[in-house]
Amino acid sequence: MRELYSVDREGNKVLLVPTGNKVSRVPIHPTPESLYVSHRALFPLPTSSTPGLNRAFLSQLRALLRIILPKPLCKESFMLALHSAFLVLRTVLSVAVARLDGRLVRDLVSADWKGFLKGLGLWFLLAIPSTYTNAMLRYLQSKLSLAFRTRLTRYTHDLYLSPNLEYYRLIDSGYLNGGADQYITNDVQRFCDALSALYGNLLKPTLDMIIFTTQLAHSLGGLGTVGLFANYFFTGYVLRRVTPAFGKLAAVEARLEGEYRAGVGRIGRESEEIAFYGGGLREKSILARAYQRLISHVNSIYKIRIAYEWTEDYIIKYLWSATGYMLMSIPVFLIPTRSVGVQAGELGGKVWDQVSGRTESYISNRRLLLSLADAGGRLMYSNKDLAELAGYTSRVYTLLSTLHHLDATPVSLTSHLTSNPDRIALTEVNVAAPGQLLVRDLNLVVERGEHTCIVGANGVGKTAIARVVAGLWEAEEGEVERPLEREDVMVVPQRAYLTAGSLRDQVIYPFAYPQHISTGGTDAQLQDILKEAHLEYLLDREGGWDTVKEWKDVLSGGEKQRMGMARLFYHKPSFAILDECTSAVSTDVESHLYNHAKSLGITILTISTRPALIKYHTRLLKILGDGRGGWELTKVGTEEERMEVDREIGELERRLGEVGGWEGRLGVIKGELGV
C-alpha cells in the first residue's frame, strides 16, 4: 500500500483521494508555530471548577472558537452565514404558512371555493421552498459540524504530534484522565456536533419567538402581549430552578467512557502478555467494573432527567397551550360585537363575516402559538444542550491546554544543550527518574567510531541515559552535546514498533513512500537491506512489498528485532542507540548485524545486560547502581577489562566443574525415587 499524497511547490502535503475514476487533491497546510505561540495565552491550565454555564465555560469556548473560526472571512464563516440565511427564511415561511392556513379555513367556512382553490395552490407552492429549506438546514448543520471537527482535529494533530514530542511527554503529565485517544476522537466529535446543533437550536427559536411574538402582538393587543412575556419569564424561572448540572454529568460520562475505552484498548495491545499469564478473567473483571461505573452513571442521568423532562414537558406543551387559548380569547371576549340598529339581513351577513374573520384569526394565531410553543420549548431545551456543551468544551479545552502547557513549560533544570553533529558528549550530567537520582556527574564523550557499550543491572539508569541522549528527557544538571537533527541519532528499542502499512513501510519507517522515492530509494535497495538483516525470505513468504498485514501479529520476536535493525541500515544515522534490540536474535546473526552496522559508518551505543556484546565495542560504561549514582568508564581490551572477563570465565569454569557432582546427586535422587 503506497501513501496517496504528494508535496506541492510550497512544501505542503497534498492528499490524493480516489473518487471514482478521478483523484481529488486535498491540500493539507501545517499549522504554523507562530499560531501556537499566539494561542498559548488563550489556553492556561483549567482550574478544578465544575463544568457548567459560568465564566470559565465562556472563556474556554471563546478560545476554541479562535481555532474553528480563525478569521472573519473563512469557509466556516460562509457556511454560518448561509445557515443563518436559511434559518431566517424558515421563520418567514412559517409565518406565511400560518397566515395561509387561516385564509384557507376562512374560505372554507365562507364557502368561497375560488379563494379556497387559490389558497390551496399557494399552499403547494410554499411547500417547495419550505421542504428545501428544512433539508438544507440539516445539511448545513452536518457540514458545519464536519468543518469544525476537521479544523479542530488538524490543529490538535499538529500540536499533539509536533517535533517537541508532546505525544510522548503527555504520558507523564498527569493532567489527562486516561489516554489522549478519547479526547481527540470522541470528545472532539461530540463538541463539534453539540456546537453546530446548538447554533441552530438557539438562533432559530430566538428568531421564531421574536417574529411570532411581533405577529401575535397585532392580533392579541397590549394585554395579550404582556401575557406572552409574563409566560416567558415564568417558564424561564421554573426551568432554571429545576435544571440539573448537565455540564458536569456530560463531563463525567465522557471521562468514564474514556476509561472504559482505554481498558478495551489495553487488552488489545497487551493480548499476548495477558494470554501468557492466563489473565483473561482478571481483565474481564477490571473491564466489567469500568463498564459498570459507566452504565451506573448513565442510569443516574436518566433518572435525573425524569423529573426535569416531566416539568419541562408539562410547562412547554400544556401550560403554554392553555396560555395560548386564554390569550386568543382576549379579542373575542373583551371586544364586544356592535350589532345595534342593523337590519336582520345585514346583521346576518356581518355576523357571518365576523365568524369567518374570527376563524381566520383563530387558526392563524393558533398555528403561530403552536410554533411559538415549539420555539420556546426548543429554546428551553437548549439550556440542557448548553450545559452538555459546557462538559464537552471542558474536555476539549483540557486536552489543548495540556498540550500547550507541555509545549510552553519552561525548563527549570540547570542542564544545557549544545548542537554538535560529530559527537555525543555528556559533561557533569545528572540523570534522574521522577524522585530518584540514577547517575551522578556522568562524563561521557562518544566521538565517531567510538562504539560504547552501557552495562549494568536492571533499573540502574541505562535506558534513562539513552533517553537523555535521544532528547526524550532533560538532564537535571550538566551539559549535553549531540546532533540536534533526529535523523542523526536513532534509537532501536528492544520491542520493535511495527507501523500500519505495507512490508515496505516497515523498513522505511518513519519515511513514507513519496519520501523514499524522493531520496532516490528503490525496492532493489530495500531488498539488499532485508538480505543484510536476514529477512529477505519475507518477500516470498508474505507476498511482496505492497502486502498489508497486522505485522505485529505476523512477525516473530526475532523477526521484529531484525526489522528494527533493517530500519537502522536504511536510514544510516551517524549514531545509533541499541537498547537490547538483538536479545531474541541468534548469536551468529547478531554478530553479522553489529558488524554490518559498523561497516555503514554508524557509531553504536549499546545498552545491554549481556557481556557477550562487549566485544563489538571499544569502550565500556558500567552503571554501578550503588544508590549514589556511581559509574565506571573503561576501554575494551585493557588489562582491567580483561581481568573482568577472566573473572567471568573463571566463574563459568567453576560452575562447569561442579557438573559431575550435580549429575551424581541426580543419580542418587533417581535411585531414591525408583526412576
Side-chain angles (χ1 to χ4, degrees):
M1 180 182 69
R2 299 181 178 181
E3 293 289 339
L4 298 177
Y5 75 79
S6 61
V7 180
D8 62 15
R9 295 180 180 179
E10 289 76 22
N12 297 320
K13 183 181 291 187
V14 178
L15 289 178
L16 307 179
V17 182
T19 54
N21 296 326
K22 299 180 180 179
V23 176
S24 301
R25 300 173 64 86
V26 181
I28 303 297
H29 305 286
T31 307
E33 181 64 25
S34 59
L35 182 64
Y36 289 130
V37 174
S38 65
H39 282 185
R40 203 162 284 157
L42 299 173
F43 290 93
L45 284 174
T47 61
S48 58
S49 60
T50 302
L53 304 180
N54 47 36
R55 289 185 179 180
F57 162 63
L58 295 178
S59 176
Q60 293 172 1
L61 183 60
R62 185 163 52 248
L64 295 178
L65 288 176
R66 289 283 298 273
I67 299 174
I68 61 179
L69 294 172
K71 51 187 177 180
L73 297 179
C74 61
K75 180 181 69 173
E76 292 78 9
S77 301
F78 172 75
M79 294 173 65
L80 275 174
L82 188 61
H83 192 218
S84 303
F86 274 100
L87 287 174
V88 175
L89 178 61
R90 184 71 187 91
T91 301
V92 173
L93 289 172
S94 298
V95 175
V97 168
R99 295 304 181 195
L100 183 58
D101 195 16
R103 178 180 170 180
L104 281 169
V105 176
R106 182 201 66 186
D107 293 336
L108 188 63
V109 172
S110 302
D112 183 1
W113 64 272
K114 290 184 178 180
F116 178 76
L117 291 178
K118 183 179 179 181
L120 201 60
L122 290 174
W123 181 272
F124 283 111
L125 287 176
L126 274 177
I128 296 175
S130 297
T131 53
Y132 176 74
T133 300
N134 289 334
M136 284 300 297
L137 286 174
R138 289 190 291 269
Y139 170 76
L140 288 173
Q141 179 177 316
S142 300
K143 289 288 289 183
L144 266 176
S145 175
L146 189 59
F148 289 163
R149 184 182 182 186
T150 298
R151 195 174 288 276
L152 189 56
T153 298
R154 288 179 179 175
Y155 182 95
T156 306
H157 283 180
D158 288 345
L159 184 59
Y160 179 58
L161 297 170
S162 72
N164 294 327
L165 305 179
E166 268 73 10
Y167 60 92
Y168 176 79
R169 299 166 64 190
L170 189 64
I171 299 174
D172 300 321
S173 67
Y175 292 116
L176 299 184
N177 294 319
D181 54 344
Q182 174 74 12
Y183 288 82
I184 296 175
T185 56
N186 192 269
D187 292 335
V188 167
Q189 178 191 357
R190 288 188 176 186
F191 167 77
C192 295
D193 289 345
L195 182 61
S196 61
L198 185 66
Y199 176 74
N201 291 341
L202 279 178
L203 184 58
K204 176 66 166 62
T206 303
L207 286 171
D208 287 351
M209 293 193 71
I210 294 173
I211 295 177
F212 294 158
T213 301
T214 304
Q215 293 290 320
L216 285 169
H218 294 292
S219 301
L220 302 180
L223 186 61
T225 304
V226 172
L228 277 176
F229 283 101
N231 185 46
Y232 297 158
F233 286 116
F234 174 76
T235 302
Y237 172 77
V238 173
L239 291 183
R240 180 180 292 273
R241 296 298 298 269
V242 301
T243 301
F246 284 114
K248 179 181 179 181
L249 295 173
V252 173
E253 181 183 357
R255 176 177 60 81
L256 294 176
E257 189 79 45
E259 292 177 358
Y260 174 63
R261 178 173 180 168
V264 176
R266 183 184 65 252
I267 294 174
R269 291 190 303 271
E270 313 295 339
S271 58
E272 185 175 55
E273 289 80 359
I274 294 172
F276 281 147
Y277 286 108
L281 292 178
R282 172 61 176 160
E283 295 298 327
K284 180 181 177 182
S285 65
I286 295 174
L287 204 61
R289 283 200 302 272
Y291 181 72
Q292 186 62 41
R293 287 194 297 269
L294 173 62
I295 63 171
S296 297
H297 179 71
V298 173
N299 280 327
S300 67
I301 294 177
Y302 293 157
K303 293 177 182 178
I304 291 172
R305 283 180 174 174
I306 292 176
Y308 172 76
E309 292 180 355
W310 176 84
T311 306
E312 193 176 47
D313 287 348
Y314 182 84
I315 293 176
I316 300 300
K317 292 183 178 179
Y318 296 98
L319 180 61
W320 277 46
S321 297
T323 303
Y325 282 116
M326 294 174 62
L327 295 176
M328 284 189 296
S329 70
I330 292 176
V332 176
F333 295 126
L334 298 184
I335 302 177
T337 303
R338 299 179 60 186
S339 58
V340 180
V342 182
Q343 296 182 1
E346 185 180 354
L347 177 62
K350 287 185 176 295
V351 170
W352 186 255
D353 289 341
Q354 286 181 353
V355 170
S356 61
R358 286 177 177 174
T359 302
E360 178 185 3
S361 178
Y362 169 78
I363 295 299
S364 298
N365 290 342
R366 174 168 172 75
R367 177 176 280 273
L368 287 175
L369 278 168
L370 289 175
S371 299
L372 187 63
D374 179 65
R378 284 185 286 131
L379 200 58
M380 298 305 170
Y381 292 152
S382 65
N383 186 47
K384 178 190 67 176
D385 297 336
L386 264 173
E388 291 183 350
L389 176 64
Y392 301 139
T393 301
S394 175
R395 295 274 296 179
V396 177
Y397 179 89
T398 300
L399 169 67
L400 293 179
S401 63
T402 300
L403 293 175
H404 275 290
H405 176 75
L406 292 174
D407 188 44
T409 301
V411 179
S412 60
L413 307 175
T414 57
S415 62
H416 180 66
L417 178 63
T418 304
S419 174
N420 189 330
D422 296 322
R423 72 173 188 171
I424 293 174
L426 306 178
T427 306
E428 301 295 327
V429 166
N430 285 352
V431 180
Q436 180 184 8
L437 179 65
L438 300 174
V439 183
R440 181 187 298 275
D441 297 334
L442 176 60
N443 290 288
L444 174 66
V445 178
V446 181
E447 303 284 354
R448 287 181 179 269
E450 288 187 335
H451 310 292
T452 304
C453 186
I454 305 175
V455 298
N458 292 327
V460 298
K462 302 187 301 297
T463 302
I465 295 175
R467 289 168 180 159
V468 170
V469 172
L472 302 186
W473 283 14
E474 294 281 352
E476 281 203 337
E477 292 183 3
E479 181 175 347
V480 179
E481 191 177 342
R482 64 178 177 83
L484 292 185
E485 297 297 330
R486 293 203 172 274
E487 56 265 24
D488 289 335
V489 180
M490 183 174 181
V491 179
V492 185
Q494 181 178 16
R495 187 175 179 180
Y497 171 70
L498 300 176
T499 186
S502 65
L503 179 61
R504 181 189 296 104
D505 293 329
Q506 309 312 309
V507 180
I508 66 177
Y509 184 83
F511 279 7
Y513 185 73
Q515 291 172 280
H516 171 62
I517 296 299
S518 65
T519 57
T522 63
D523 287 346
Q525 172 197 358
L526 299 183
Q527 186 169 355
D528 291 339
I529 290 174
L530 286 188
K531 183 177 180 181
E532 296 295 343
H534 289 232
L535 290 174
E536 188 179 13
Y537 60 88
L538 290 180
L539 287 172
D540 294 331
R541 192 186 80 181
E542 304 300 338
W545 288 115
D546 294 315
T547 302
V548 177
K549 293 184 178 181
E550 193 66 37
W551 296 104
K552 68 182 181 63
D553 299 327
V554 172
L555 303 183
S556 66
E559 289 172 338
K560 293 176 185 177
Q561 290 191 340
R562 280 179 276 156
M563 185 62 73
M565 295 298 290
R567 286 179 190 164
L568 178 68
F569 301 158
Y570 174 79
H571 290 285
K572 292 185 288 189
S574 300
F575 297 89
I577 303 173
L578 309 184
D579 189 358
E580 290 283 7
C581 65
T582 57
S583 58
V585 178
S586 62
T587 304
D588 56 332
V589 174
E590 182 180 61
S591 175
H592 175 77
L593 296 176
Y594 268 88
N595 290 328
H596 183 66
K598 292 194 289 185
S599 69
L600 294 175
I602 302 172
T603 301
I604 296 173
L605 285 82
T606 298
I607 297 172
S608 179
T609 57
R610 296 181 294 152
L613 295 179
I614 297 176
K615 61 185 177 182
Y616 303 114
H617 304 81
T618 58
R619 295 192 307 167
L620 176 67
L621 174 64
K622 186 174 183 180
I623 309 302
L624 302 180
D626 54 4
R628 298 187 298 272
W631 53 275
E632 293 178 355
L633 180 63
T634 59
K635 288 187 176 181
V636 175
T638 61
E639 183 65 27
E640 181 180 356
E641 192 269 336
R642 283 196 297 270
M643 291 177 61
E644 180 67 26
V645 174
D646 290 341
R647 281 196 296 269
E648 184 176 357
I649 293 174
E651 178 64 20
L652 292 175
E653 289 177 345
R654 184 185 64 80
R655 293 184 180 182
L656 289 174
E658 297 175 353
V659 171
W662 294 343
E663 290 178 345
R665 178 57 182 164
L666 178 61
V668 173
I669 293 174
K670 287 182 177 180
E672 293 177 350
L673 296 176
V675 177

